[in-house]
Each structure stands twice: as C-alpha cells, then as structure tokens.
Amino acid sequence: MAETPTVTRTQVGIVGGGPAGLLLSHLLSQQGIDNVVVEKRDHETIKNTHRAGILEQQAVRMLTDTGVDGRVLTVGDEHEGIDLRFNGESHLLNFPDLVDATVTLYAQNEVFVDLAAARKRDGGDVRFEAEVIEVLDLETDTPKFRYKDISEGANPDEVFEVQCDVLVGADGSRSFCRRAVGEAQGHKDFKIEYPFAWFGILTEAPKSSPELIYANSPDGFALISQRSETVQRMYFQCAPDENVDDWSDDRIWSELQKRVDGPDGLQLKTGPIFDKTVLNFRSFVREPMRHGNMFLAGDAAHTVPPTGAKGLNLAFADVQVLFNALESFYSSGSRELLDAYAGTALKRVWKAQNFSYWMTSMLHTRADANPFEAKRALGELETITSSRYGQQYLAESYTGWPHA
C-alpha cells in the first residue's frame, strides 16, 4: 500500500527553484502571499553550473528594487553596446545613444545565488533535492503536486504533497509540469531545431574588447564575451555533435582568432581554458502557457537560441506579468489578469523569438549554405549597421521591451 502523502497547504506552489521560480517566490512573499518552492537539483549544483547572463535594465531593477542583494550592480559589468563584426571590420552599436538603455553582463548562476540567499534571509520555503513525480487536479481550485525528497539519507518511499490555489511550472526546458499536459489536451508546441551549436569556453585571460563582439565570418559565427576582468566567456559555431575532447587549447584559440581576423589586426587575448562545453539550442514555444490553474513561466514555456540574449530576460518578464496577476487575484479576488496571463506573456515571447531567430540566421553560416545566402546575410548586416533606424531596431530589441 502506498504511503499517505505528507501534505503542505499554501497559496502558490512553485515547481522549479531556478531564477524564475525564486524571483516569483521573492515577489509574492513581499506581498504576504504564501508560497512553496521545490527544486530537483541541489543548491551547489545550480550555483556551479556556468551559464551566461545578459540582463536588461528591467531585469536588473527587478532584483535591486525589491531588496535582493545588489551584487548585480557591484559585480555585474554594465555594457553600453555590442560590436557587430563582419568582413573583418567592427561596427559598434551604442545603446545609450540609440535607445537610452544599457545591459548588464551578470552570469545566471550568480543571479540564482543572490535570489537563493534572499529567500533564505527572508525565511522562504524553498525545498531543494525535491523531485516532482505527479501533478494533479489542475482544472480545480486546488491543484497540487507530489514529490519525493531525493537528498542523501532521505526515505525513498515517502511522498510529499503541496496543495495550492495556483500551481506555477518554472522548472526549465525539460519541464515536468509542461510534459504532464501534452498536446492531446489542447496544447500546441511550436519548435525548430538549428543545424549548428556553440562551442563555449571559459578562460583565464584579460578582456579582448570592452564590448561583446558578434562576429560573422566565412568560417562561422563567434561571440567574444566577458565574465570579469580576469575570466572571459567565448563561443564559436560548431556542429551539434562536436566532441570537446577533440579540441586542444591551441586549436580553440586558432579557430576563434580566425573568425575575428580582419585588416584592423584585432588580436584576442588568450589564457588557460578551464571549461569547455557544446551548447545545442532550439526555438520552442508552448501555447497556451497554462492549463487550468497551472501556469508555465520561463524555459518551461519557451526557449530561444542565446544569440539575442533573451532567455533569462523572457523568464523575468513572465514572472513580472504573473506576479501582477497573482497580486491582483489575492487583493481583489479578480481573475482577469490571471486569465490574460498567457496572452500577455506570449506577445513578448513571439517578439523575442523573432529577434533571436533573426540574429541567429544573420550571424551564423549554415554548412549547406550557398554563396548567395552568405552574401545576402552580409547585405543584411550592412543594411543594419549603415542605418540609424536599423541600429535602433536591433538596440531596442536587444535591450528589451516593456514587460506588459
């Protein structure tokens, strides 16, 4: 006979303790809305999973204006533009001049550290190493999920249940919550796979450029990014099945340098490489972003290729819209904003999908591309960089649109 679950009752149950889930929990708690967060991974695993992060000003304000630690301002690196490089020449887009905005380079795992610390400081109920095994009663006023404690020494047979008014699936691109409600129940998945990936490195080296370099070259795309004054993050386009063990440091630096070479003599600053990874990516959207009283947010509902720097920012935008809806629901009893959540969020999601797809297509070189396609992409880059209106469109999209 199965054990009777140990039950917790709360107002909002959140599956997923990454940045999206923790930020929503933080905002709700500040308004006195009770919530419980469960996360399959342990704190240290998430903390040490290196992921890039470019934050829009709105995302930075969501952290700093709500009492999360201000390290994003002291450790984060504010950037005033990007460098589009093609035909071996650099074209700087100055964001403050174009759209009166900046972005901040701050790794996603650092955002997690700050939010997790804020929840601990404020007594938040965040349960790590909790694997969800079932979601139930989503079309009722009491949706619920069940999980097991998978920490070392826990009873593997014990089941816990969280009952709530609203269930939020913020559990990432492999979302259990999303998969529990398939297309057969009236949902539709929109997706596209890309025929290339990114080979990413972390290196102990000085900055090669004050701004991020997005390079289009005959040999493929490269992104020269930063992490700090002494640690840098860089990527180059590769095959999805590329094996990192086939690449020595010398071979990596040669490949990166080849993709930024030009008549101006730009030379990358090199150093020891201490992390190598291949990042596959796709575009994906689940519609609608809810099922009954379960609402999806962040990567659980959509993913974008990293070229447009939209992933974490889209998650934060979802959180803002969903928080506004939940605050309205608990203060007035009105479900109007909750019922409008998916439609409101999806408008921004599809704008971001378009921008990310556009940037990816313009900057990358497909292995099967013919000479016409390569020349056309260069013509597009020339069009953007030679027009203030073109630059403003890219700058506005990169630095972000209003959350609602």
Side-chain angles (χ1 to χ4, degrees):
M1 180 181 295
E3 288 194 18
T4 301
T6 300
V7 175
T8 300
R9 184 72 176 89
T10 190
Q11 290 174 295
V12 180
I14 303 172
V15 179
L22 292 181
L23 180 59
L24 179 60
S25 173
H26 173 70
L27 296 175
L28 291 171
S29 293
Q30 289 197 322
Q31 296 302 313
I33 300 171
D34 190 47
N35 63 88
V36 173
V37 181
V38 299
E39 166 58 50
K40 180 178 179 180
R41 297 164 295 174
D42 65 272
H43 180 281
E44 290 304 302
T45 295
I46 308 174
K47 175 183 176 180
N48 293 302
T49 299
H50 296 287
R51 295 186 65 183
I54 296 175
L55 301 182
E56 300 167 359
Q57 286 183 337
Q58 297 170 100
V60 172
R61 286 195 293 269
M62 288 182 74
L63 297 173
T64 57
D65 292 356
T66 63
V68 179
D69 190 289
R71 286 198 316 138
V72 65
L73 298 179
T74 57
V75 178
D77 191 2
E78 187 177 25
H79 283 257
E80 296 188 343
I82 60 171
D83 181 352
L84 287 181
R85 188 172 176 86
F86 57 97
N87 289 330
E89 297 179 345
S90 288
H91 305 263
L92 180 64
L93 276 63
N94 185 302
F95 293 160
D97 174 60
L98 293 166
V99 292
D100 192 27
T102 62
V103 295
T104 298
L105 191 64
Y106 192 58
Q108 185 168 322
N109 51 308
E110 300 294 346
V111 175
F112 163 78
V113 168
D114 295 346
L115 284 165
R119 297 309 298 126
K120 184 176 181 180
R121 176 198 68 199
D122 298 338
D125 190 343
V126 181
R127 308 175 186 183
F128 292 102
E129 298 182 88
E131 182 175 13
V132 174
I133 57 173
E134 194 173 15
V135 293
L136 303 162
D137 303 331
L138 301 181
E139 298 182 55
T140 73
D141 292 334
T142 312
K144 55 184 69 74
F145 59 85
R146 291 176 177 169
Y147 71 91
K148 289 188 175 183
D149 182 347
I150 58 173
S151 62
E152 186 176 356
N155 179 356
D157 297 320
E158 188 172 11
V159 176
F160 300 86
E161 180 175 286
V162 175
Q163 300 177 356
C164 45
D165 305 322
V166 174
L167 193 160
V168 177
D171 49 341
S173 60
R174 296 181 177 86
S175 171
F176 181 94
C177 292
R178 183 188 70 240
R179 287 184 285 111
V181 181
E183 292 187 79
Q185 299 188 56
H187 296 261
K188 178 66 176 176
D189 291 344
F190 300 86
K191 54 190 173 183
I192 183 172
E193 301 285 344
Y194 292 84
F196 38 73
W198 281 5
F199 192 114
I201 65 165
L202 282 168
T203 177
E204 295 176 4
K207 293 180 180 179
S208 292
S209 168
E211 302 294 0
L212 280 71
I213 300 174
Y214 287 76
N216 169 296
S217 84
D219 298 294
F221 169 78
L223 172 59
I224 310 305
S225 182
Q226 302 89 11
R227 177 61 65 85
S228 69
E229 292 299 326
T230 57
V231 174
Q232 315 309 324
R233 186 72 155 163
M234 302 184 190
Y235 303 90
F236 62 86
Q237 179 184 339
C238 68
D241 58 354
E242 198 70 62
N243 184 353
V244 297
D245 294 332
D246 292 339
W247 288 80
S248 66
D249 285 15
D250 287 344
R251 185 185 178 196
I252 290 170
W253 286 120
S254 176
E255 190 66 30
L256 282 165
Q257 183 61 51
K258 180 171 61 175
R259 299 189 187 198
V260 299
D261 274 341
D264 60 0
L266 173 65
Q267 287 290 316
L268 299 178
K269 296 178 180 177
T270 64
I273 295 171
F274 62 90
D275 183 76
K276 306 174 188 178
T277 186
V278 171
L279 176 64
N280 291 301
F281 49 88
R282 61 176 182 158
S283 295
F284 170 85
V285 180
R286 159 64 65 87
E287 288 193 4
M289 291 168 53
R290 68 173 293 185
H291 183 85
N293 274 319
M294 181 179 75
F295 298 79
L296 300 177
D299 285 358
H302 44 72
T303 56
V304 291
T307 327
K310 294 290 102 179
L312 183 56
N313 294 296
L314 269 183
F316 274 24
D318 288 351
V319 166
Q320 182 67 71
V321 175
L322 186 53
F323 165 70
N324 292 344
L326 289 166
E327 183 183 35
S328 173
F329 173 65
Y330 282 109
S331 62
S332 69
S334 171
R335 295 188 61 92
E336 182 180 358
L337 293 184
L338 270 178
D339 291 338
Y341 164 71
T344 301
L346 280 167
K347 288 180 181 179
R348 182 184 173 99
V349 167
W350 280 113
K351 287 171 68 174
Q353 290 288 0
N354 174 64
F355 176 65
S356 300
Y357 181 89
W358 173 65
M359 286 279 284
T360 301
S361 301
M362 181 170 60
L363 289 165
H364 290 71
T365 305
R366 293 199 332 268
D368 61 347
N370 63 41
F372 175 89
E373 292 173 285
K375 284 286 190 180
R376 189 214 58 81
L378 291 173
E380 191 167 21
L381 283 161
E382 184 64 41
T383 301
I384 294 298
T385 55
S386 63
S387 164
R388 182 171 178 84
Y389 296 111
Q391 292 180 48
Q392 284 178 322
Y393 167 71
L394 194 154
E396 178 190 35
S397 301
Y398 196 96
T399 59
W401 312 278
H403 282 176

